[in-house]
Amino acid sequence: MSAVILNRVRKGLYIDSVALMRFSRSIAGLDGVEEAALMMGTPANLGILKDAGLLDGTGEGASGGDLVVAIRASDAAQAEAALVEAERLLDQPRGSRGEGAVWRPRSLRAAVAQMPDASLALISVPGDFAVAEARKAIRRGLHAMIFSDNVPLAEEVALKREATELGRLVMGPDCGTAIINGVPLAFANRLPQGSVGIIGASGTGIQEVSCLIARLGGGISHAIGVGGRDLGDVVGGISTLAALDMLARDKLTGHVVMISKPPSPEVTARVLARAGAIGKPVTVCFIGAAPMAMPANAEQVFTLKDAALKAVGIGEETTPRKPDIPAIAGRRGIRGLFSGGTLCAEAQAVLLAGRLQVTSNAPIPGALVVGAAEDGHLLLDLGDDAYTRGRPHPMIDPEVRGGPVREAMKDPALAVLLADVVIGHGAHPDPAGGLARAVTGARGRRAPLVIASVTGSDADPQIRSAQVSTLEEAGILVAPSNADAAAWARDAVGS
Amino acid sequence: MAAQDTASETRKGYSVPSNDRSPVNDLLDMPLRVVNIGLESFADDLTAEGAEVVHVDWAPPAGGDPELAALLAKLGA
Amino acid sequence: MTDIAGRIDAANQEALRRIFAGDPVLVDVVPAAEAIPALWERMILHAGPPVDWSRMCGPMRGAVAGIAVFEGWAPDLEAAAQMAGEGAFDFQPNHHFDAVGPMTGMTTISQPVMVVENRAFGNRAFCTINEGLGKVMRFGGNDAEVLDRLRWLRDGFGPAMGKALRSGGGIPLKPLVARGLTMGDEMHQRNVGCTGLMLRALSPAMAASAGDLKELSRALAFIGGNDQFFLNIAMAMGKAIMDPVRGIEASTVVTAMSRNGTDFGIRVSGTGDTWFTAPVEMPEGLYFPGFTEADANPDMGDSTIVETVGLGGFAMGAAPAVAGFVGAGTASEAANFTRAMAEITLAENPEWTIPALDYRGVPSGIDIRLVVETGLAPTINTGIAHREPGIGQVGAGVVRAPLACFRQALKAFAGQMGVA
């Protein structure tokens, strides 16, 4: 069998030699083609084609301004087919070879070169690397929000001290939520802008308060997350103090809300002193704290719900709306399964206020650790590190909570199952659906009553009212806030 | 005159006035422009909100080699 | 910021100042022995970091044999190879003698070398004349045709070009390169524009000083027929620009990158003349008809001095056609190579700008810290030689400098700065 050589000369057609080499490779790869080349018909190139056994009489007649298609194939039919394909490549319109690849910078340095007026670095790389990135950011004049957790405490301190010297704010580490100038960052909700500024050591705490404020007709100027350890003795409140100063000067902010677990006496004193000096009303919510002396411009509250009410200038709700909760004979237990740590803490505070015995894996003052009291009401923070090692956070994947929910639904001692549903950016597309399925799938004849709340807004992708409907359709009682849900649960077993 | 990489060479943190330890309010006063380093979904959400964001295609420095990363930190990289 | 970081920044600023202050001018063509007094009989300068005969790749051995015969040190190629094996020749890197050479990079006493003078600092750099495409010594060619051409370059073309250059004030190279960038050149794989500009610059003086019209015609045709003629000038220019940047204490700027077909070597300003070497990588690219990756020689040549000054792969945004060697090759992908190189360099060259990228300057001042941190190695546009000597170029593509060189350099630099 002898191979067939086929040439075609396209007169006056110029295509760049590199493009031609690509085409050549493509044609040479076709079925039955032994060798192929597309080249301009210069004498040197004709020599190359000849040496490669690709040139016939047609090709030999080409001149330097012509394009030669040279093919050697095992038979005439395949040579023809290859030629047709080659012509197709030559004739395709320019610029149709796909969109340009979008360039992504590989470093903060290159990103800032691209966006010189960058104001904030949002960092969510693994904890070991987060501080190094944040340090680069603050040295370049940016502020930093560190979403990452598992950052060594000593690194957090060193970073925040350097940030103070440079006049930069560090939010976090472990800062899941912030809102700056109306822009939600990381796990945050779409809310109207307004005059309430929030400083929170907890993401879900910020989310609950900000969403309640919005539902009460108010709005958020900024929500600054300081990370869970900022108010500890080691860090000493560096970012909290900085945030207070920023909100003091901020023209949009008329009222400041602070949310945290109770700091040590020393840090409390420092923070309250600064709060007292900012010249604006402050609402202080240290969940689980005892009543304490406040500066003249500040008021202490004990739930996130009350913080929201104070911030929008409403007194205490005079008549908490309480549904008709059926008594559940022979059962007295409350189980709480929470995706938000601060929501778990708030629920503990509400139950403790009703003199109930509470146990938890993250106990607030007055509650006991899990297992310490046999007839304590168990409230679990399923987002705690112990539960999320190697598994997704329950806010991202509701299935993580599925097992404990199903177990609770079958527990003969339980009267009430309490749960939170948190929506907004970053959260699962349908957390209510996940909870509803777990509840209805496991519900037997004598299942506990399920009471939940939805932290979010109707402007969120999940749409709060749609999530509420999903829960109610599954026979779940939906309270207007996490505090109310805990109060309903308390009252259901208290009588 | 050599044209430097102006963004990286000239941007420094503001120096804080000596009688006031608090940070300058530029973060709250200016439009938010974010450099996102890590989870790409955060950048997508910011874009959906109409905020300006540049996403960094991040990888651990020095290919994850801790010895080299430590050296780099000391050499001011 | 620690004191060390501050010292490094200050040293790097000085390095950048020297790079951008450079004023390279093509002034002459002279025999290598005249340009390099230390060059002697039986000395063979080669491309890349130091390498001995036993480790030389096929094309380089072929070139060594050929040049030994050319210089009359051996009667034929076989004898030359035998002598090389017995240690008869003194092999040295071009870089150690103010020279650079593409691919095999052979530089010996009687070969004509082009002279580029950096008028800002007074130093000179040398490179042989580009022989053309096809079977040439830089790809390991060593037959009669190759040697005859070398003789013509030595006796005819070289002196003619030298005479023409001396009759004027020399040809300043920075503005010529700036124009080439606007014409689709990147000065490593793509020199068509600059070659044309150089021909225009040289031909009147060559015509004026020509003794013989046939010789003139042959000389002009030689330049005009070789798209890559300017490459060797660009290389000498790069060497002339970077040599004054050597030896700045505490600077992390790369002053040379080079390969000998076996090893890739870099030099860093703050560590002086130390070579940091690692095995060369294989280029990725497209091949001429009849050839495949299996035929390719590993990466070779001093031509990476061009990338060292921000051209070649670093300026790919100016030469979108070249990006075709690495895949789909749209213009925006070419631009991305330049943007990637901006991540490992300290500045943009104010005089060499790329119109298609809104006149951003080519990325200049490779910082070993940035290379190690990002893991982005310098991208090099290169020709691919056949692994057997004497066959020539078989393709073109892209190759990266090995990261290992930069890691070694960083550790050595840190040690020198007293940083554990």
Side-chain angles (χ1 to χ4, degrees):
Chain A
M1 174 184 72
S2 66
V4 170
I5 295 177
L6 183 59
N7 290 174
R8 168 103 163 83
V9 174
R10 294 281 296 259
K11 296 205 77 58
L13 177 60
Y14 174 76
I15 289 180
D16 186 87
S17 60
V18 172
L20 289 180
M21 283 174 73
R22 280 204 329 275
F23 294 163
S24 301
R25 188 169 65 173
S26 168
I27 302 303
L30 294 175
D31 271 355
V33 175
E34 289 177 15
E35 186 64 76
L38 287 73
M39 301 182 102
M40 299 309 292
T42 61
N45 286 348
L46 294 184
I48 292 174
L49 291 174
K50 187 163 189 167
D51 284 344
L54 284 170
L55 202 62
D56 69 13
T58 308
E60 269 169 38
S63 63
D66 302 335
L67 194 150
V68 179
V69 181
I71 294 164
R72 188 174 75 243
S74 41
D75 62 44
Q78 285 173 317
E80 276 296 337
L83 180 60
V84 166
E85 173 61 11
E87 304 242 55
R88 190 192 70 78
L89 285 174
L90 293 175
D91 292 333
Q92 73 188 348
R94 292 285 155 269
S96 70
R97 279 167 301 185
E99 289 174 55
V102 172
W103 177 70
R104 305 231 287 219
R106 299 269 289 257
S107 63
L108 175 74
R109 181 175 171 268
V112 172
Q114 192 178 326
M115 186 165 65
D117 47 5
S119 55
L120 179 74
L122 171 52
I123 297 162
S124 54
V125 299
D128 287 340
F129 301 101
V131 164
E133 295 300 322
R135 180 169 292 116
K136 284 188 234 172
I138 63 176
R139 287 178 184 179
R140 283 179 189 281
L142 281 70
H143 302 269
M145 173 175 168
I146 305 178
F147 175 87
S148 322
D149 61 4
N150 289 311
V151 171
L153 181 58
E155 285 188 32
E156 176 177 351
V157 175
L159 175 71
K160 285 182 172 177
R161 286 190 181 148
E162 185 173 352
T164 305
E165 281 168 43
L166 293 173
R168 302 293 98 181
L169 175 71
V170 172
M171 294 190 270
D174 203 11
C175 171
T177 304
I179 303 175
I180 302 291
N181 278 320
V183 178
L185 290 153
F187 284 57
N189 305 90
R190 300 188 78 223
L191 301 170
Q193 281 193 275
S195 61
V196 180
I198 302 175
I199 303 173
S202 141
T204 45
I206 292 175
Q207 289 187 269
E208 175 78 346
V209 172
S210 59
C211 290
L212 290 176
I213 287 171
R215 292 225 304 280
L216 291 168
I220 308 301
S221 56
H222 313 280
I224 297 174
V226 297
R229 297 183 304 210
D230 191 67
L231 286 162
D233 276 320
V234 181
V235 183
I238 293 176
S239 294
T240 303
L241 296 172
L244 278 167
D245 289 342
M246 290 172 87
L247 293 180
R249 287 179 165 66
D250 177 57
K251 294 189 192 57
L252 294 177
T253 302
H255 187 119
V256 175
V257 173
M258 292 183 53
I259 309 161
S260 158
K261 26 184 229 226
S264 72
E266 193 193 319
V267 177
T268 299
R270 196 181 307 149
V271 167
L272 290 182
R274 189 68 66 89
I278 69 169
K280 296 178 183 175
V282 179
T283 299
V284 177
C285 180
F286 293 152
I287 299 197
M292 56 181 72
M294 290 281 129
N297 62 322
E299 256 193 87
Q300 186 181 10
V301 298
F302 301 91
T303 62
L304 302 170
K305 171 190 167 183
D306 284 340
L309 289 171
K310 281 275 181 266
V312 297
I314 298 173
E316 289 181 24
E317 269 190 339
T318 48
T319 318
R321 299 174 304 135
K322 196 164 124 182
D324 193 15
I325 295 176
I328 302 162
R331 294 151 161 260
R332 303 204 63 81
I334 299 173
R335 173 73 44 83
L337 296 173
F338 291 89
S339 56
T342 306
L343 301 176
C344 179
E346 183 183 40
Q348 291 180 51
V350 170
L351 296 194
L352 288 171
R355 303 216 192 309
L356 299 182
Q357 177 105 266
V358 176
T359 60
S360 174
N361 63 324
I364 69 171
L368 298 171
V369 94
V370 179
E374 266 189 33
D375 51 356
H377 301 284
L378 177 60
L379 302 185
L380 286 174
D381 170 14
L382 292 173
D384 186 69
D385 280 350
Y387 287 98
T388 56
R389 207 146 275 149
R391 286 197 300 174
H393 193 281
M395 268 175 66
I396 299 172
D397 183 2
E399 287 317 302
V400 170
R401 189 161 55 174
V405 166
R406 285 186 283 273
E407 204 186 299
M409 291 301 286
K410 293 183 159 39
D411 189 331
L414 288 185
V416 175
L417 172 57
L418 253 186
D420 60 353
V421 173
V422 181
I423 61 172
H425 282 303
H428 189 272
D430 181 19
L435 180 61
R437 275 191 301 277
V439 162
T440 52
R443 181 183 271 135
R445 262 192 323 123
R446 291 163 52 79
L449 182 64
V450 184
I451 304 177
S453 66
V454 179
T455 301
S457 87
D458 272 345
D460 285 333
Q462 301 89 343
I463 306 174
R464 183 180 179 274
S465 50
Q467 293 282 287
V468 170
S469 300
T470 300
L471 295 172
E472 288 175 341
E473 278 159 31
I476 296 172
L477 216 52
V478 182
S481 73
N482 181 65
D484 285 322
W488 292 358
R490 177 190 65 199
D491 294 346
V493 306
S495 43
Chain B
M1 274 317 281
Q4 305 287 323
D5 180 357
T6 54
S8 62
E9 301 312 318
T10 63
R11 265 195 85 101
K12 307 263 187 268
Y14 290 95
S15 58
V16 180
S18 59
N19 62 348
D20 187 342
R21 285 180 300 117
S22 48
V24 180
N25 255 22
D26 54 0
L27 176 64
L28 306 187
D29 291 340
M30 56 201 257
L32 186 68
R33 291 199 171 90
V34 180
V35 174
N36 186 59
I37 309 172
L39 299 178
E40 198 171 343
S41 60
F42 289 166
D44 295 339
D45 289 341
L46 283 165
T47 302
E49 289 291 334
E52 278 193 50
V53 56
V54 170
H55 178 73
V56 170
D57 198 3
W58 185 86
D65 180 328
E67 183 201 343
L68 284 174
L71 273 186
L72 284 172
K74 290 179 190 165
L75 295 175
Chain C
M1 279 274 202
T2 64
D3 178 56
I4 287 183
R7 281 172 57 204
I8 295 174
D9 277 353
N12 287 345
Q13 289 306 308
E14 173 61 16
L16 289 172
R17 189 196 68 76
R18 293 187 195 182
I19 292 173
F20 296 139
D23 181 18
V25 182
L26 178 63
V27 294
D28 206 350
V29 179
V30 297
E34 192 183 309
I36 308 168
L39 204 53
W40 204 235
E41 299 277 340
R42 307 231 177 148
M43 264 181 86
I44 299 180
L45 305 187
H46 60 78
V51 67
D52 58 31
W53 177 254
S54 64
R55 294 185 70 237
M56 280 186 191
C57 64
M60 192 170 282
R61 286 188 170 198
V64 163
I67 206 65
V69 171
F70 173 79
E71 293 286 5
W73 301 329
D76 57 51
L77 298 174
E78 265 185 55
Q82 173 101 356
M83 289 170 70
E86 289 163 0
F89 306 120
D90 180 14
F91 296 115
Q92 296 285 342
N94 279 308
H95 263 291
H96 292 190
F97 292 89
D98 299 335
V100 281
M103 285 289 167
T104 55
M106 299 286 101
T107 309
T108 51
I109 43 174
S110 68
Q111 284 184 80
V113 294
M114 298 182 293
V115 180
V116 173
E117 183 176 277
N118 185 342
R119 295 215 165 129
F121 296 94
N123 61 300
R124 293 182 152 204
F126 314 107
C127 188
T128 51
I129 299 168
N130 192 288
E131 304 158 82
L133 310 167
K135 290 190 184 139
V136 291
M137 179 161 285
R138 77 173 177 284
F139 288 105
N142 53 19
D143 63 11
E145 182 194 328
V146 172
L147 300 194
D148 279 344
R149 190 185 302 107
L150 288 181
R151 284 181 197 107
W152 176 69
L153 286 175
R154 177 192 64 196
D155 302 332
F157 181 85
M161 185 176 165
K163 202 166 167 192
L165 285 167
R166 287 189 301 273
S167 70
I171 300 174
L173 295 174
K174 266 187 169 176
L176 196 149
V177 165
R179 288 190 75 188
L181 284 170
T182 72
M183 296 163 73
D185 281 359
E186 36 74 288
M187 292 79 202
H188 194 152
Q189 282 278 70
R190 200 82 166 178
N191 281 284
V192 173
C194 285
T195 297
L197 293 172
M198 180 56 58
L199 180 58
R200 285 165 58 182
L202 279 174
S203 36
M206 287 187 78
S209 58
D212 178 282
L213 270 186
K214 269 184 69 180
E215 270 304 300
L216 172 65
S217 168
R218 187 176 173 190
L220 295 179
F222 177 74
I223 301 174
N226 178 5
D227 281 353
Q228 284 288 74
F229 180 78
F230 190 79
L231 171 64
N232 296 34
I233 299 170
M235 288 173 58
M237 175 191 75
K239 174 83 171 151
I241 290 174
M242 291 312 296
D243 272 358
V245 186
R246 296 179 302 185
I248 301 172
E249 195 191 319
S251 171
T252 50
V253 170
V254 173
T255 55
M257 295 192 290
S258 189
R259 333 71 113 205
N260 55 35
T262 309
D263 295 322
F264 194 112
I266 70 168
R267 280 172 151 180
V268 179
S269 181
T271 50
D273 287 338
T274 311
W275 285 104
F276 301 101
T277 64
V280 286
E281 303 193 355
M282 288 300 288
E284 253 185 67
L286 294 176
Y287 290 85
F288 300 153
F291 299 108
T292 71
E293 261 181 50
D295 302 310
N297 195 67
D299 193 32
M300 185 168 55
D302 289 323
S303 52
T304 34
I305 194 69
V306 155
E307 273 78 12
T308 310
V309 291
L311 302 170
F314 284 48
M316 223 193 302
V322 176
F325 287 122
V326 269
T330 59
S332 52
E333 287 178 35
N336 287 347
F337 278 99
T338 293
R339 291 189 185 102
M341 293 302 97
E343 302 239 20
I344 61 172
T345 48
L346 293 168
E348 291 181 14
N349 191 315
E351 291 179 83
W352 290 341
T353 62
I354 301 176
L357 298 185
D358 288 332
Y359 293 94
R360 73 185 286 165
V362 299
S364 305
I366 302 168
D367 186 338
I368 58 172
R369 299 173 300 170
L370 295 174
V371 173
V372 174
E373 182 175 22
T374 60
L376 279 172
T379 299
I380 297 150
N381 290 344
T382 187
I384 304 173
H386 198 287
R387 56 170 63 250
E388 297 300 319
I391 296 179
Q393 186 171 359
V394 297
V398 160
V399 72
R400 296 205 179 267
L403 278 172
C405 296
F406 298 87
R407 292 193 196 114
Q408 279 178 47
L410 188 76
K411 288 181 185 167
F413 177 83
Q416 207 170 285
M417 298 291 288
V419 171

